[in-house]
Amino acid sequence: MGDEQVAAVADRELAAYLEAERRVGGPGVRELGAVEMRRRQRQRLAERPSGPELAEVRDVVVDGPAVTMPPIAARLYRPTLDPLPLVVFLHGGMWTIGGLESHDRLCRRLALAARIAVLAVDYRLAPEHPWPAGPDDAAAAFRWAAEHARELSGAAGPPAVAGDSSGGHLAALTCLRMRAEGGPLPAAQILAFPNTDLTLSRPSTRDKATGWGLTTDAVAWGVANFVPDVTRRADPAVSPLLAADLSGLPPAVVVTAEHDPLRDEGDEYATRLTAAGVRVRHRSEPGMIHGFLTMDQAAPSAASAGDRFFADAAAVLRG
């Protein structure tokens, strides 16, 4: 890691994290493949301390007459049994890795810090289940949560949607789909460093392609798993940034990271939402890298950036 990169990140601990990642080296995601990437992720998770204790954490199943695909596993987090806003959370992982366990600590922290109920969704992953399986699951889980909001969180009404990275992408697509289908619209869309343009054509995919944790090539691998047909990636049903009209969508939080290949597409999505009349809280975290929401134990700067994201989520949900 060069001196310029060390000076550019938010603190020494984050620089040390990146340097450790660089030293590990070894084969990339293309050589490892989805199965091995998932195995390695499970191994890392086994060494990670769990998140804060909550009043309720329980697994639920998204099922019933309105769900036309196989049942979807989910997990509910409640910091208190009092009525709270409900958020449907969609995890990141390049549409290929991740699940309830990979984001368990994050969902606990989000629920406690923002004082909300969180329903994490274990949507189907690529390459076994390419587009539109993930978006279909996200939309079905949102509709189910809207129908069962009172029993899940004690408060009726449509939940919000949230997600990080590829989960932010699915959250944005859920909002567009609900608008197209006549609702119910989510109460808000809460997006952390989201994928919004699967053509990967924004400048930051080149300027921040390597050296900052997530690489553009890894994102391209995930995109290829998720949408194998290159011609589909510019479809607005796949890339929300390319939608002609973003008006009428829910209020948004969009937080990006300075040193992230996905930075520009997230920033541009926030700009376009604002231009379309959507209320947006937008910030690009200086000195930060992709994935900081799950890096609170690695660097104080990542923990602080996460706290700001949680505060943004609470603010948009409470008006």
Side-chain angles (χ1 to χ4, degrees):
M1 187 176 183
D3 292 342
E4 182 179 346
Q5 288 172 303
V6 171
V9 295
D11 59 21
R12 290 192 302 271
E13 291 84 354
L14 192 58
Y17 170 87
L18 286 174
E19 177 61 20
E21 289 282 298
R22 184 192 67 78
R23 282 199 300 264
V24 168
V29 295
R30 294 182 186 277
E31 293 77 20
L32 292 173
V35 172
E36 177 61 14
M37 286 290 292
R38 293 168 190 161
R39 188 195 68 79
R40 292 187 177 205
Q41 183 181 62
R42 288 193 299 271
Q43 187 176 47
R44 291 193 303 271
L45 290 171
E47 302 168 357
R48 180 188 299 178
S50 62
E53 293 294 323
L54 302 177
E56 181 181 34
V57 177
R58 63 181 172 94
D59 290 345
V60 299
V61 176
V62 176
D63 200 0
V67 181
T68 58
M69 63 277 297
I72 305 165
R75 184 172 294 164
L76 179 68
Y77 302 84
R78 297 177 71 182
T80 172
L81 299 184
D82 296 333
L84 292 173
L86 177 63
V87 173
V88 174
F89 184 86
L90 302 157
H91 67 82
M94 300 179 291
W95 307 275
T96 301
I97 61 174
L100 298 182
E101 300 307 324
S102 68
H103 284 61
D104 181 79
R105 179 179 174 84
L106 169 55
C107 288
R108 289 171 181 267
R109 292 173 60 226
L110 172 60
L112 185 63
R115 294 205 50 86
I116 58 177
V118 175
L119 182 72
V121 178
D122 197 18
Y123 59 87
R124 288 172 290 173
L125 298 177
E128 296 89 344
H129 304 285
W131 184 91
D136 285 349
D137 286 358
F142 171 78
R143 286 192 178 278
W144 182 88
E147 294 169 1
H148 296 82
R150 188 176 295 279
E151 65 191 76
L152 291 169
S153 69
V161 288
D164 66 319
S165 194
S166 55
H169 166 264
L170 296 179
L173 286 184
T174 298
C175 293
L176 287 165
R177 182 179 291 197
M178 292 303 107
R179 185 190 65 176
E181 296 177 358
L185 277 179
Q189 50 184 319
I190 304 167
L191 315 178
F193 31 86
N195 297 83
T196 65
D197 175 13
L198 274 63
T199 69
L200 303 181
S201 57
R202 266 51 196 179
S204 60
T205 61
R206 300 183 293 276
D207 300 340
K208 303 293 180 180
T210 60
W212 305 100
L214 179 70
T215 67
T216 297
D217 186 63
V219 180
W221 171 79
V223 169
N225 286 332
F226 179 51
V227 190
D229 183 353
V230 175
T231 64
R232 296 303 303 267
R233 297 174 193 170
D235 185 335
V238 171
S239 292
L241 181 58
L242 305 184
D245 178 16
L246 296 180
S247 64
L249 292 174
V253 170
V254 184
V255 176
T256 59
E258 179 183 5
H259 303 302
D260 181 358
L262 306 185
R263 181 196 63 209
D264 289 351
E265 61 196 74
D267 289 346
E268 189 173 342
Y269 196 63
T271 299
R272 287 206 53 219
L273 286 170
T274 301
V278 176
R279 180 164 54 92
V280 180
R281 298 173 69 94
H282 173 225
R283 179 178 63 261
S284 183
E285 284 285 352
M288 199 48 60
I289 64 173
H290 188 89
F292 62 78
L293 288 181
T294 55
M295 295 172 55
D296 59 294
Q297 294 179 303
S301 60
S304 296
D307 289 341
R308 288 188 289 273
F309 180 77
F310 302 151
D312 286 337
V316 75
L317 288 170
R318 292 179 169 87

